[in-house]
Amino acid sequence: MISKEAENLLFEIIEHESDGNHWAERFEAADHREDIILRGCFKELKDNNLVHTTWADNIPVIIQVLKDGYLYQRHKEEREKAERELTMGAFERELTDLLERAQNISPPTQVSYDGESIAEHNMPANVWMDDVRIFRAKYLSEHPLYSPMESLLFHRRFSRLVASLTSISKDRDFIDKMNGVEKVEVPKYQAKTLPEYDVFISHANQDKEELIEELYQSLQKLGISIFYDKESLEWGDNWKERILNGTKKAEFAIIVISENFFDREWTERELSEFLNRQNRNGQKLILPIVHNITMQQLQEKYPNVADIQAIDSSKYNCDQIALLFAKQLIKRLKAN
């Protein structure tokens, strides 16, 4: 892995491959601090076999992007696309697919007969526009562009349809609605009673590097509000008080139970707090994950937790676990 700064530099190099003056101007305009950062990032890219740079007069004059550099960019784009798709519902996936297909289609030529303009035969464009008609009928009856698009479809206005779909893709409120996420206005007098966090991650510190950090990132990508000690505790906080407060203000608790979790003062304390809350409220709260232990070990150590359906970290990756949690959260929000 390379630093974010080096990654940004790599993408800037690829973007300006044909601009011979870019780097001379870039270094000339850089102050002392930026100059040091740029040179450090060039060295980092060289050390990772992503670029080869020839320097003259202390400025890069020839920058050759190596195979791994291009592959790094491609894999980065593929990861970002996969992450976006992970959070998309069917509506957003189909809309994205239509827009991506449109980029590779030549617009049909408009020819006029008796004063009416119609699209000349163009099979890919016509199939695409028929798919737009299906998409419109399936999803857009409540969107302001629903009626205007009927005329565009009738007259086969390819470019205008692309523009309409692009506008819809930026309509976040409508997309959230189609994905089943609705904004709820909460009276101020009720706001203090709502959970501050969607989920509290209870875990042993020894499991952070192997599992918890990645799980936190996967949950965060979905826009989930998380109490995670590493991110939620700030300098000067009374950490015991903040953690106990977090256990009271979370809608759910993902509890990662491993051998490292056993017999630790604060993991046991958190578990006890959540068990008491769940028993008191009679509502699902605890979502256990067993990590590198068997269900029998869980039964022997925490029989009260063993009665709660758990998942095994070896059978799901962190993105899958995050999606499973998101489904639980959506069910709870709809029920409320």
Side-chain angles (χ1 to χ4, degrees):
M1 291 293 292
I2 60 176
S3 68
K4 185 65 178 176
E5 292 77 13
E7 181 181 275
N8 291 338
L9 179 64
L10 173 62
F11 297 156
E12 185 178 351
I13 290 169
I14 293 173
E15 181 183 354
H16 293 279
E17 277 184 297
S18 59
D19 185 350
N21 296 322
H22 177 78
W23 291 105
E25 295 171 356
R26 184 88 152 77
F27 272 85
E28 184 178 346
D31 59 23
H32 178 68
R33 180 175 178 275
E34 186 179 7
D35 185 273
I36 291 174
I37 293 172
L38 279 172
R39 294 180 193 281
C41 289
F42 268 102
K43 183 178 185 305
E44 188 175 346
L45 294 178
K46 176 180 178 295
D47 291 345
N48 283 275
N49 296 314
L50 300 176
V51 302
H52 177 74
T53 307
T54 302
W55 298 76
D57 295 328
N58 219 21
I59 291 174
V61 292
I62 300 175
I63 306 173
Q64 180 184 5
V65 181
L66 304 179
K67 179 191 74 173
D68 286 347
Y70 290 119
L71 289 176
Y72 184 97
Q73 183 192 40
R74 181 191 300 175
H75 293 158
K76 170 77 172 179
E77 291 171 350
E78 289 173 351
R79 285 197 305 273
E80 289 179 345
K81 182 179 179 182
E83 289 170 1
R84 288 194 302 273
E85 289 176 350
L86 187 66
T87 64
M88 288 180 183
F91 166 79
E92 198 170 0
R93 281 197 297 272
E94 291 181 37
L95 175 59
T96 301
D97 178 65
L98 286 170
L99 287 170
E100 289 179 349
R101 284 170 54 195
Q103 294 176 5
N104 300 313
I105 296 174
S106 299
T109 304
Q110 298 290 327
V111 295
S112 181
Y113 292 103
D114 299 328
E116 283 197 23
S117 181
I118 64 172
E120 195 176 62
H121 180 71
N122 179 326
M123 178 66 76
N126 286 332
V127 169
W128 181 86
M129 285 186 283
D130 286 341
D131 289 343
V132 172
R133 182 179 292 278
I134 294 170
F135 177 82
R136 170 183 173 272
K138 186 176 179 181
Y139 292 115
L140 301 180
S141 61
E142 297 181 13
H143 196 277
L145 291 178
Y146 177 79
S147 295
M149 286 178 68
E150 176 62 28
S151 174
L152 299 179
L153 285 163
F154 179 79
H155 293 290
R156 315 299 274 179
R157 302 289 194 184
F158 179 87
S159 297
R160 292 284 303 279
L161 285 167
V162 173
S164 293
L165 292 178
T166 301
S167 295
I168 293 168
S169 74
K170 297 176 182 178
D171 188 346
R172 197 67 244 175
D173 287 343
F174 187 77
I175 290 172
D176 286 345
K177 182 178 179 181
M178 298 305 296
N179 285 341
V181 179
E182 296 189 21
K183 294 183 179 179
V184 179
E185 294 295 330
V186 180
K188 289 183 179 179
Y189 69 87
Q190 290 183 356
K192 291 184 179 180
T193 67
L194 293 178
E196 185 175 339
Y197 306 101
D198 296 322
V199 64
F200 183 110
I201 305 178
S202 179
H203 63 286
N205 284 330
Q206 293 91 328
D207 293 326
K208 270 186 167 62
E209 184 174 343
E210 185 177 340
L211 175 66
I212 307 302
E213 284 286 332
E214 185 180 353
L215 177 58
Y216 170 74
Q217 296 296 333
S218 293
L219 290 164
Q220 194 177 49
K221 283 187 295 188
L222 299 182
I224 290 165
S225 173
I226 311 160
F227 186 98
Y228 174 42
D229 56 5
K230 182 178 175 182
E231 300 296 331
S232 301
L233 296 177
E234 298 179 356
W235 190 10
D237 279 347
N238 181 322
W239 65 270
K240 293 183 179 180
E241 184 178 302
R242 287 278 287 123
I243 288 176
L244 287 176
N245 195 44
T247 65
K248 295 178 174 65
K249 293 189 174 182
E251 184 74 41
F252 289 98
I254 291 178
I255 300 184
V256 181
I257 303 176
S258 66
E259 288 189 350
N260 295 322
F261 189 95
F262 295 165
D263 300 320
R264 298 292 192 275
E265 178 186 356
W266 272 92
T267 56
E268 298 276 351
R269 180 77 177 271
E270 290 166 9
L271 179 58
S272 176
E273 290 286 332
F274 287 121
L275 282 170
N276 289 336
R277 261 189 67 192
Q278 179 160 295
N279 292 336
R280 184 169 62 248
N281 298 337
Q283 188 177 41
K284 182 189 294 187
L285 169 65
I286 296 172
L287 304 172
I289 299 175
V290 294
H291 181 56
N292 295 334
I293 63 169
T294 65
M295 291 297 180
Q296 183 177 348
Q297 286 176 286
L298 178 65
Q299 172 70 48
E300 292 171 354
K301 190 66 183 177
Y302 303 116
N304 290 339
V305 180
D307 293 336
I308 302 170
Q309 182 66 42
I311 62 174
D312 190 328
S313 66
S314 66
K315 297 179 181 177
Y316 299 87
N317 63 40
C318 288
D319 284 343
Q320 290 171 327
I321 293 173
L323 278 179
L324 288 173
F325 173 76
K327 290 178 181 178
Q328 292 294 325
L329 184 60
I330 289 170
K331 285 182 182 178
R332 177 67 53 82
L333 292 173
K334 285 183 176 180
N336 292 337

